[in-house]
Amino acid sequence: MVRYDSERRLWALEGKKCALVLGLADLSEPGGESPAGSRESLLLTVWYGSRLPSLQDYPVAALDPGWASFSSPEGLSPETYPAWGGARYGECALKGETAGGIRDLRLYYRDFRVRGEVLEIDLEDPLTGLAVTAEFELFVELDLIRTRSRLTNRGPQAIRLERFFSGLLYPRRDEAYRLTSLQGHWAGETRVRRQELGCGLTVLESRRGFTSQHANPFFALDPRGESREESGEVWFGALAWSGNWKVSLERDAFGMVRVAAGMNDFDFGETAVPGECLESPWFLFGYTDGGFGAMSRALHAWQREFLPRKKVYGTTGAGAPWRPVLYNSWEATAFGVNEADQMRLAEQAARLGVELFVMDDGWFGARNSDRAGLGDWQVNSGKFPRGLGPLIARVRELGMRFGLWVEPEMVNPDSELYRAHPDWVYRFPGRKPTEMRNQLVLNLAMSEVEAWLLETMDRLLTENDISFVKWDLNRSIAEPGTAADFSAGSDRGASADSVPSALGRSVWTAHTRALWRIADTLRERHPGVAFQSCSGGGGRVDMGILERFDQVWPSDNRDALDRLGIQEGFSLAYGAHLMEAWVTGEKNWLTRRSIPLAFRFHAAMAGVLGIGEDIGKWDEGEFAEAAALTARYKELRPLIQGGDLYRLSSRGDTPGGEGLSGRLYVSEDKRRAVLFAYLPRDRQAHHVSALALAGLDPSLTYRVTRDPQGSFPAPGNPWADFAGSAAGCGAGGEWSGAALMARGLATGLRGDWSSAVIEFTAL
Ligand code: DGJ
């Protein structure tokens, strides 16, 4: 709940266990920065951490007189939404310049409103007329808060913004912090990185125009690096922005840590025209004392509850929209799609129990390789002489929905679209634009391009019975120039002529805003269509895209062991119901490991199950095994997509690594749970220790059953004795939740690539 203490001038946003407390402090006179004759107050963050019993327990906002007030010596409160101006040297939220050349902005408190769990605080710079409303929305049950800022220029002059962040947060002062982040690269996304937060600035960011595979807009900080999966304090956050983003973590010499997050200020330039209102993206953050597991469960629960739910998925229980099992044609047919092959694949997919058949790249224009066709979203008549209609009808007849791949923001120079509109791409005048994967990026900052893209996708969805769109993006934005910026008739920021240098830079944000608008409009016009965000794998995974896209493809990596690591990192910030996971080829072309089908399925069943393999090559035995596992997934789906995740590892092993690890999904009432256990690599004469369980109800007794699929030694095999049986409860029989959690579970897994599905049902 949001409480206001008028005497101490504090607002407390209190969750079940966390509290963010903001307060006001007057600037002292004389010598302070208050304009002559006024006594201004600053909005300060006085506490962010555990919830304390009474409001009296929180400190009041404290400010040192004079310039020292902003350099954050011990005991003083930092500014909640500082603009760069006055004697401020730390990371700021806002930086700008008026057309008259004032670069010194100051935000003073004006007013506040509380509406339910939302607190809005108005700040203003009396000299320039810049008004900012800092908005905080509290999610009490989840101990999460999201913040954003709305900026209105009430002054007479345009203000060119050089930085416009969503907000800042300040974990409690501690002697040291460890930073956990998700970094990687193509086919190796969301790798968990842990490092000590050193003095100075540590920056996580994307400058690629989209979220990117290289870093994800998520961070977690734990004091002294001592927090664990199920214990310890963690401050964390995730930014809802799908363009250039920045999370800047600053640790100063006084031990203060400030985390500033928002649209990246690198090459940034938006203009606040007089009278205009601009909005920053949301920044969702939280505090827990329950370790990284509790952090993830809070984020997942928020995503389940507050991201748009799609009726399109249908319901299989409790009114929740379960994501369907999909088949994707990419690995089987690549660009060589045609009606006959796709129909054959669809028939095979239907036999497996697939619910959504997705045709990938290659169905349009002159698209026979990645060299041509992007931009020409007409069906290739050589491959589909009768259009998409007959294929879609066959897919529907087989009881599945139909999905289609598109990459709408891109164009190949070898395309009708590019030949007609060579000026529709990002480029600087006089320079040849750089191609990546033989393609260029369409300039969505131009309103005619945005309109064309919307209309083209709208037509595709109107003319065809499409239930699912795989929206891909296979290169970064570069050379963000736009002809529109230099033309007199530009429709963006035209009235800001006085600050022309800002116009060119606004394309970075204009692209994301246009993409979001298009996605929002398509969803509105086609409420039955679900969208997948793909970007050469997991390049566009963020809380902003997830407000408009229903699930994501986390990586192009086809190796089930690699994927376990990627999925592990993904799960730190994002829920299993958002994570498409495909069963892919037995042999990865690079790692060249052969991984059994059951292991590949078990890895993929821990998310939104998909099958990406060339199923035409499977024999009857593989078909039967795959069909049984698909059916089993559907039974377990409400638990996987709707339950609480506990990441498990046997003592001494790392989840997502090569030792024994597990993912346990527990129902809300804790009466049912399912464990996916993996042992990718075994060692000779090694005792596989028990898997420490968590999240069960200690007072319940569970029946424990292990599915027949998977690979583990048959009962009676002497090696099974080394599978954690000495200390752990067995993977069969009846056990109390208390015993399962204290003693752990002897999974019985032995040998490379062994895996199992183990179910727990309360008696
Ligand atoms: C990259 C995606 O990640 C793949 O799944 C596939 O759709 C290709 N693009 C198609 O070009």
Coordinates of all heavy atoms in Angstrom, one line a residue, residues 74-110:
E74 N 27.9 9.7 3.3 CA 27.2 8.7 4.2 C 26.1 9.4 5.0 O 26.2 10.5 5.5 CB 28.2 8.1 5.2 CG 27.6 6.9 5.9 CD 27.4 5.7 4.9 OE1 28.2 5.5 4.1 OE2 26.3 5.1 5.1
G75 N 24.9 8.8 5.0 CA 23.8 9.3 5.8 C 22.9 10.2 5.1 O 21.8 10.6 5.6
L76 N 23.2 10.7 3.9 CA 22.3 11.6 3.2 C 21.5 10.9 2.2 O 21.9 9.8 1.7 CB 23.1 12.8 2.6 CG 23.8 13.6 3.7 CD1 24.6 14.7 3.0 CD2 22.9 14.1 4.7
S77 N 20.4 11.4 1.8 CA 19.5 10.7 0.8 C 19.8 11.2 -0.6 O 19.8 12.4 -0.8 CB 18.1 10.9 1.2 OG 17.9 11.2 2.5
P78 N 19.8 10.3 -1.5 CA 20.1 10.7 -2.9 C 18.8 11.1 -3.6 O 17.7 10.7 -3.2 CB 20.6 9.4 -3.5 CG 20.0 8.3 -2.7 CD 19.8 8.8 -1.4
E79 N 18.9 11.9 -4.7 CA 17.7 12.4 -5.4 C 17.0 11.2 -6.2 O 17.7 10.5 -6.8 CB 18.1 13.5 -6.4 CG 17.7 14.8 -5.9 CD 18.1 15.9 -6.9 OE1 19.3 16.0 -7.2 OE2 17.3 16.6 -7.4
T80 N 15.7 11.2 -6.1 CA 15.0 10.1 -6.8 C 15.0 10.3 -8.3 O 15.2 9.3 -9.0 CB 13.5 10.2 -6.3 OG1 13.5 10.2 -4.9 CG2 12.7 9.0 -6.8
Y81 N 14.8 11.5 -8.8 CA 14.9 11.7 -10.3 C 15.7 12.9 -10.6 O 15.1 14.0 -10.9 CB 13.4 11.8 -10.8 CG 13.4 11.6 -12.3 CD1 13.3 10.3 -12.9 CD2 13.4 12.7 -13.1 CE1 13.4 10.2 -14.2 CE2 13.4 12.5 -14.5 CZ 13.4 11.3 -15.1 OH 13.4 11.1 -16.4
P82 N 17.0 12.8 -10.4 CA 17.8 14.0 -10.6 C 18.0 14.4 -12.1 O 18.2 13.6 -12.9 CB 19.2 13.6 -10.0 CG 19.2 12.1 -10.1 CD 17.8 11.6 -10.1
A83 N 17.8 15.7 -12.3 CA 18.2 16.2 -13.6 C 19.7 16.7 -13.5 O 20.1 17.1 -12.4 CB 17.3 17.4 -14.0
W84 N 20.4 16.7 -14.6 CA 21.8 17.2 -14.6 C 21.7 18.7 -14.5 O 21.2 19.4 -15.4 CB 22.6 16.8 -15.8 CG 24.0 17.1 -15.6 CD1 24.9 16.5 -14.9 CD2 24.7 18.2 -16.3 NE1 26.1 17.2 -15.0 CE2 26.0 18.2 -15.8 CE3 24.3 19.2 -17.2 CZ2 26.9 19.2 -16.3 CZ3 25.2 20.2 -17.6 CH2 26.5 20.1 -17.1
G85 N 22.3 19.3 -13.4 CA 22.3 20.7 -13.2 C 22.8 21.0 -11.8 O 23.0 20.0 -11.1
G86 N 23.1 22.2 -11.5 CA 23.7 22.5 -10.2 C 25.0 21.7 -10.0 O 25.6 21.4 -11.0
A87 N 25.3 21.4 -8.7 CA 26.5 20.7 -8.5 C 26.3 19.2 -8.3 O 26.4 18.7 -7.3 CB 27.2 21.3 -7.2
R88 N 25.8 18.6 -9.4 CA 25.5 17.2 -9.4 C 26.5 16.5 -10.3 O 26.7 16.8 -11.4 CB 24.1 17.0 -9.9 CG 23.0 17.4 -8.9 CD 21.7 17.4 -9.6 NE 20.6 17.8 -8.7 CZ 20.3 19.0 -8.3 NH1 21.0 20.1 -8.8 NH2 19.3 19.3 -7.5
Y89 N 27.1 15.4 -9.7 CA 28.1 14.7 -10.4 C 27.9 13.2 -10.7 O 28.6 12.5 -11.4 CB 29.5 14.9 -9.7 CG 29.8 16.3 -9.5 CD1 29.6 17.0 -8.3 CD2 30.1 17.1 -10.6 CE1 29.8 18.3 -8.2 CE2 30.4 18.5 -10.5 CZ 30.2 19.1 -9.3 OH 30.4 20.4 -9.2
G90 N 26.8 12.7 -10.0 CA 26.5 11.3 -10.2 C 25.7 11.1 -11.4 O 25.3 12.0 -12.1
E91 N 25.3 9.8 -11.6 CA 24.4 9.5 -12.8 C 23.1 10.2 -12.6 O 22.5 10.2 -11.5 CB 24.2 8.0 -12.8 CG 25.3 7.2 -13.5 CD 25.4 7.5 -15.0 OE1 26.1 8.5 -15.3 OE2 24.8 6.7 -15.8
C92 N 22.6 10.9 -13.6 CA 21.4 11.6 -13.5 C 20.3 10.9 -14.3 O 20.6 10.0 -15.1 CB 21.6 13.0 -14.0 SG 22.0 13.1 -15.8
A93 N 19.1 11.3 -14.2 CA 18.0 10.8 -14.9 C 17.7 11.6 -16.2 O 17.2 11.0 -17.2 CB 16.7 10.7 -14.0
L94 N 18.0 12.8 -16.1 CA 17.6 13.7 -17.2 C 18.7 14.7 -17.5 O 19.3 15.3 -16.6 CB 16.3 14.5 -16.7 CG 15.6 15.3 -17.7 CD1 14.9 14.4 -18.8 CD2 14.5 16.2 -17.0
K95 N 18.9 14.9 -18.8 CA 19.9 15.9 -19.2 C 19.4 16.5 -20.5 O 18.9 15.8 -21.4 CB 21.2 15.3 -19.5 CG 22.3 16.3 -19.7 CD 23.7 15.6 -19.8 CE 24.9 16.5 -19.9 NZ 24.6 17.7 -20.8
G96 N 19.5 17.9 -20.6 CA 18.9 18.5 -21.8 C 19.5 19.9 -22.0 O 20.2 20.4 -21.1
E97 N 19.1 20.5 -23.0 CA 19.5 21.9 -23.3 C 18.3 22.7 -24.0 O 17.7 22.1 -24.9 CB 20.7 21.9 -24.3 CG 21.2 23.2 -24.7 CD 22.4 23.1 -25.6 OE1 22.8 22.0 -26.0 OE2 22.9 24.2 -26.0
T98 N 18.1 23.9 -23.5 CA 17.0 24.6 -24.1 C 17.5 25.3 -25.4 O 18.8 25.4 -25.6 CB 16.5 25.8 -23.2 OG1 17.6 26.7 -23.0 CG2 16.1 25.2 -21.8
A99 N 16.6 25.7 -26.2 CA 17.0 26.4 -27.4 C 17.8 27.6 -27.1 O 18.7 28.1 -27.9 CB 15.8 26.7 -28.3
G100 N 17.6 28.2 -25.9 CA 18.4 29.3 -25.5 C 19.7 29.0 -24.9 O 20.4 29.9 -24.4
G101 N 20.1 27.7 -24.9 CA 21.4 27.3 -24.4 C 21.6 27.0 -22.9 O 22.7 26.8 -22.4
I102 N 20.4 26.9 -22.2 CA 20.6 26.5 -20.8 C 20.7 25.0 -20.7 O 19.8 24.3 -21.2 CB 19.3 27.0 -20.0 CG1 19.2 28.5 -20.0 CG2 19.4 26.5 -18.6 CD1 18.0 29.1 -19.4
R103 N 21.8 24.6 -20.1 CA 22.0 23.1 -20.0 C 21.9 22.7 -18.5 O 22.1 21.5 -18.2 CB 23.3 22.7 -20.5 CG 23.6 23.1 -21.9 CD 24.6 22.1 -22.6 NE 25.8 22.0 -21.8 CZ 26.8 22.9 -21.7 NH1 26.7 24.1 -22.3 NH2 27.9 22.7 -21.0
D104 N 21.5 23.7 -17.7 CA 21.5 23.4 -16.2 C 20.0 23.2 -15.9 O 19.2 24.2 -15.8 CB 22.1 24.7 -15.6 CG 22.0 24.6 -14.1 OD1 22.6 23.9 -13.5 OD2 21.2 25.4 -13.5
L105 N 19.6 22.0 -15.6 CA 18.2 21.7 -15.3 C 18.1 21.4 -13.8 O 18.9 20.7 -13.3 CB 17.6 20.6 -16.2 CG 17.7 20.8 -17.7 CD1 17.2 19.5 -18.4 CD2 16.9 22.0 -18.2
R106 N 17.0 21.8 -13.2 CA 16.8 21.5 -11.8 C 15.3 21.1 -11.6 O 14.5 21.8 -12.0 CB 17.0 22.7 -10.9 CG 18.2 23.6 -11.3 CD 19.4 23.3 -10.5 NE 20.5 24.1 -10.9 CZ 21.0 25.2 -10.2 NH1 20.3 25.5 -9.1 NH2 22.0 25.8 -10.6
L107 N 15.1 20.0 -10.9 CA 13.7 19.6 -10.7 C 13.3 19.7 -9.2 O 14.0 19.1 -8.4 CB 13.5 18.1 -11.2 CG 13.7 18.0 -12.7 CD1 13.6 16.5 -13.0 CD2 12.5 18.7 -13.4
Y108 N 12.3 20.6 -8.9 CA 11.9 20.8 -7.6 C 10.5 20.2 -7.4 O 9.7 20.2 -8.3 CB 11.9 22.3 -7.2 CG 13.2 22.9 -7.4 CD1 13.4 24.0 -8.2 CD2 14.4 22.3 -6.7 CE1 14.7 24.6 -8.4 CE2 15.6 22.9 -6.9 CZ 15.8 24.0 -7.7 OH 17.0 24.6 -7.9
Y109 N 10.2 19.8 -6.2 CA 8.9 19.2 -5.9 C 7.8 20.2 -6.0 O 7.9 21.3 -5.6 CB 8.9 18.7 -4.4 CG 7.6 18.2 -4.0 CD1 7.0 17.0 -4.4 CD2 6.8 19.0 -3.1 CE1 5.7 16.6 -4.0 CE2 5.5 18.6 -2.7 CZ 5.0 17.4 -3.2 OH 3.8 17.0 -2.8
R110 N 6.6 19.7 -6.6 CA 5.5 20.5 -6.7 C 4.2 19.9 -6.1 O 3.5 20.5 -5.3 CB 5.2 20.8 -8.2 CG 6.1 21.8 -8.9 CD 5.9 23.2 -8.3 NE 6.9 24.1 -8.7 CZ 8.1 24.4 -8.1 NH1 8.4 23.8 -6.9 NH2 8.9 25.3 -8.6

